[in-house]
Amino acid sequence: MITVHYLDNSRAHRILWLLEELGLDYEVKTYRRGPDMRAPESLKAVHPLGKSPVIEDGGNVYAESGAIIEYLIETYGKGALKPAQGSPGHSRYLYWLHYAEGSAMPLLLLKLIFSRLPRQVPFLLRGTARLISKAVGAKLVDPQLADHMALWESELARDGFFAGRELTGADIAMSFPVEAALSRVEVSGPMPAMRHYLEAIRARPAYRRALERGGAYGYADT
Ligand SMILES: N[C@@H](CCC(=O)N[C@@H](CS)C(=O)NCC(=O)O)C(=O)O
């Protein structure tokens, strides 16, 4: 039986969604965030970094969303949720599967950290922190995010999903950056392809079942 170490309200939602798409049996061990939003120390007993998602299967531990998605699709997918090797969609599939945590999430995390900076420093430094946060946002983070989101929009406008006309593991990986960006970033323009994509993935029965198994997930209604 696959065990998912699931942190509430987190990107681990994607793994439950994938398991539901694949129709696999699994158990969920839920961990609750503390007031600082960090995972409890007990998660470090599963993997030293104490992050979620982590899964256990067949006596092995798998961490990192992209690696978990790849492992589950390769092991249990029987060809589902992945374009055939050598097909035009396959290079797109690999790119977006790895891009989600490798390129998109670091930028979104920078956005989050700098937007929270003023609240993290002593009161007298808040004005300065606000200026730093604004400058970093304007010069470094926001222009890059705008480029990235324009790329997502044009990719999704091509044929609806990140690696072609069908849902793949790349979409499961990219769902979290898209959901986080649309809720955190001031979007320049209506982004119709991205909004249509979110509607399409959220309407999937497997996505809804994953929400029932995992509980609260803050981005599901943004
Ligand atoms: N790149 C990693 C990121 C894992 C990660 O940062 N997970 C967050 C949940 S969204 C977490 O565990 N946060 C709690 C903490 O850092 O204490 C992955 O995709 O698995």
Side-chain angles (χ1 to χ4, degrees):
M1 170 82 84
I2 297 167
T3 302
V4 183
H5 296 273
Y6 181 86
L7 182 63
D8 65 340
N9 214 355
S10 77
R11 66 211 331 132
H13 162 74
R14 290 179 295 193
I15 304 305
L16 303 188
W17 176 24
L18 172 58
L19 287 162
E20 292 290 342
E21 291 283 353
L22 293 173
L24 296 172
D25 280 339
Y26 61 96
E27 63 164 345
V28 181
K29 284 201 177 158
T30 302
Y31 300 77
R32 303 265 168 229
R33 292 179 188 267
D36 57 358
M37 295 304 281
R38 300 297 312 275
E41 281 294 302
S42 53
L43 200 45
K44 288 192 174 155
V46 187
H47 184 279
L49 295 184
K51 304 272 182 193
S52 174
V54 182
I55 67 165
E56 288 178 80
D57 189 27
N60 294 317
V61 173
Y62 299 86
E64 265 307 321
S65 306
I68 297 170
I69 293 171
E70 196 166 333
Y71 167 73
L72 290 173
I73 289 176
E74 293 303 321
T75 311
Y76 299 108
K78 300 188 189 120
L81 296 176
K82 178 190 156 180
Q85 190 94 18
S87 70
H90 191 252
S91 60
R92 289 167 71 192
Y93 166 76
L94 284 179
Y95 175 72
W96 292 109
L97 179 58
H98 293 277
Y99 162 97
E101 288 295 327
S103 295
M105 285 316 296
L107 262 181
L108 285 162
L109 193 61
L110 274 181
K111 177 85 187 161
L112 184 70
I113 289 171
F114 278 96
S115 66
R116 287 190 179 162
L117 181 73
R119 274 175 283 152
Q120 307 292 324
V121 299
F123 184 74
L124 285 177
L125 294 177
R126 282 199 188 152
T128 312
R130 234 174 261 125
L131 290 177
I132 294 171
S133 159
K134 224 173 151 189
V136 172
K139 291 205 174 108
L140 191 71
V141 182
D142 295 347
Q144 289 197 65
L145 268 176
D147 287 350
H148 282 244
M149 290 176 75
L151 176 63
W152 308 349
E153 180 67 15
S154 73
E155 194 75 345
L156 290 172
R158 264 169 85 177
D159 33 30
F161 291 102
F162 277 98
R165 290 179 191 277
E166 309 271 328
L167 182 95
T168 69
D171 296 294
I172 293 176
M174 280 302 293
S175 62
F176 188 67
V178 173
E179 288 182 314
L182 286 183
S183 79
R184 251 182 234 171
V185 177
E186 240 173 74
V187 184
S188 57
M191 303 285 180
M194 253 192 269
R195 296 196 189 279
H196 183 261
Y197 169 79
L198 277 192
E199 272 171 34
I201 63 174
R202 288 169 176 173
R204 294 183 74 88
Y207 183 105
R208 311 294 323 163
R209 284 197 302 274
L211 286 180
E212 281 161 26
R213 287 290 300 267
Y217 169 57
Y219 295 125
D221 298 312
T222 51

